[in-house]
Amino acid sequence: GRPLSRICFSGPLSDLNQPENMLPAIFVLSVVAFNIAMEVCNAFPVVAAGHSLGEYSALVCSGLLSFSDALTLIKKRVEYAKAIMLSENAIMMVVDGIPPVIVESICKQYTEGQVTVGCYNTGEQCTLCGRVEDLMKVKSVLQNYPVTITPLFNSPPFHSKLMYPAASLFE
């Protein structure tokens, strides 16, 4: 019920960056990419796994969940997560160029644990989750390091304790 191909290929980017468009688009692209790879490689994996939103595409690609059921679940996930994002004024922020252990220490020291690592992407990149006010405290300290900081203003604080109420509703 959403023109994802138009949003993805024609924009505007501000529409694609809305969680209700972004997450279904990532899911659909993941499933399409899997199907193309299977056609090209003429092979099927023995195991499928995914992190966060990727779990849905892994379940669909392994045949354990229907495409339409996954989209229904993703729609609910976005609805609950966006409500938390708006009510808590909370987002995610990517920190690149510094070991996450240093970032964790700064978060504990300057926000008393209110900002947490949501995902460890690499040995020098992680995402942080928290309220904007607390994330900006961490950002001001991290700017003293040679890092790249990217606030994701339209991304709910996935993988954080702020999402517990949404997780309960989703369950």
Side-chain angles (χ1 to χ4, degrees):
R2 201 175 290 277
L4 285 180
S5 59
R6 182 193 58 75
I7 294 168
C8 288
F9 299 124
S10 302
L13 187 57
S14 59
D15 286 353
L16 184 58
N17 279 334
Q18 296 303 313
E20 60 271 17
N21 296 324
M22 180 182 4
L23 273 63
I26 292 168
F27 163 73
V28 169
L29 179 62
S30 297
V31 173
V32 167
F34 173 82
N35 288 326
I36 291 170
M38 294 306 95
E39 187 176 310
V40 169
C41 296
N42 196 28
F44 195 81
V46 176
V47 175
H51 169 70
S52 190
L53 181 67
E55 294 175 58
Y56 298 91
S57 52
L59 288 168
V60 168
C61 294
S62 67
L64 294 174
L65 184 65
S66 75
F67 185 84
S68 61
D69 284 348
L71 278 174
T72 299
L73 290 170
I74 291 167
K75 181 179 177 182
K76 277 297 188 192
R77 182 179 191 250
V78 169
E79 178 185 322
Y80 297 143
K82 192 168 181 181
I84 296 290
M85 179 182 79
L86 296 173
S87 69
E88 296 290 340
N89 193 29
I91 60 169
M92 294 179 79
M93 182 168 76
V94 178
V95 180
D96 195 13
I98 187 171
V101 68
I102 296 172
V103 177
E104 287 175 323
S105 175
I106 291 168
C107 290
K108 286 177 187 170
Q109 181 179 355
Y110 290 91
T111 70
E112 299 175 359
Q114 294 303 306
V115 172
T116 58
V117 173
C119 186
Y120 300 89
N121 295 330
T122 71
E124 292 205 348
Q125 185 190 77
C126 63
T127 59
L128 298 179
C129 302
R131 292 180 181 89
V132 172
E133 173 185 325
D134 295 322
L135 283 167
M136 293 307 118
K137 290 178 194 173
V138 171
K139 182 181 177 189
S140 69
V141 175
L142 286 171
Q143 288 175 324
N144 296 314
Y145 294 84
V147 299
T148 302
I149 301 166
T150 309
L152 304 175
F153 290 111
N154 286 325
S155 185
F158 290 112
H159 316 294
S160 74
K161 63 184 177 184
L162 291 168
M163 295 302 292
Y164 288 169
S168 294
L169 290 170
F170 190 69
E171 186 179 348

